[in-house]
Amino acid sequence: MPGRVLIVDDHPRFRRTARRALECDGWTVVGEAQDGTNGLAEAQRLTPDLVLLDIGLPDVSGLVVAQRLADAQPDVAVVLVSTQDAGDFAALAAAHGAKGFLAKADLSGAALDGLLTQ
């Protein structure tokens, strides 16, 4: 189910790694943003199928961004990511309009497909 993805994360190294991994699995990375404010603007401008969204952003919580995206662009799927494990954030992701949560170490196209087809 690969589609168009926007990566929102404040760490350039993670953005590069995520881009490579997702593109190798057939996803098209249409953009990147380093914080929540720019992530919201880029999501509006680019209309991706998926926003891969870090929970710990420097300007606003990824949970807040996820809720704003769910309210403004309900057709855009949001998957939250963090260095923490799923037990810490899975329930919060759903409560804030996200399709799910992945630990950054578990990120792959197949893992995203699994979340999005549940």
Side-chain angles (χ1 to χ4, degrees):
M1 138 161 228
R4 297 165 29 91
V5 63
L6 169 65
I7 301 169
V8 182
D9 193 286
D10 58 322
H11 294 98
R13 185 175 184 183
F14 176 75
R15 291 195 310 265
R16 283 190 306 272
T17 300
R19 175 184 283 272
R20 277 190 300 250
L22 295 177
E23 287 177 344
C24 283
D25 287 339
W27 290 83
T28 301
V29 177
V30 295
E32 298 179 12
Q34 72 280 3
D35 59 36
T37 301
N38 287 311
L40 288 166
E42 287 297 279
Q44 182 68 34
R45 184 177 74 81
L46 298 169
T47 62
D49 302 312
L50 169 73
V51 175
L52 187 66
L53 177 62
D54 186 19
I55 289 177
L57 297 170
D59 61 339
V60 61
S61 166
L63 296 170
V64 171
V65 174
Q67 189 64 62
R68 289 180 185 168
L69 285 168
D71 293 343
Q73 294 176 268
D75 293 337
V76 176
V78 176
V79 172
L80 293 165
V81 294
S82 175
T83 56
Q84 306 296 317
D85 67 25
D88 295 335
F89 293 109
L92 283 173
H96 288 84
K99 285 287 198 177
F101 172 87
L102 282 175
K104 287 183 177 182
D106 298 333
L107 178 64
S108 69
L112 285 177
D113 288 343
L115 278 176
L116 297 173
T117 58
Q118 289 182 6

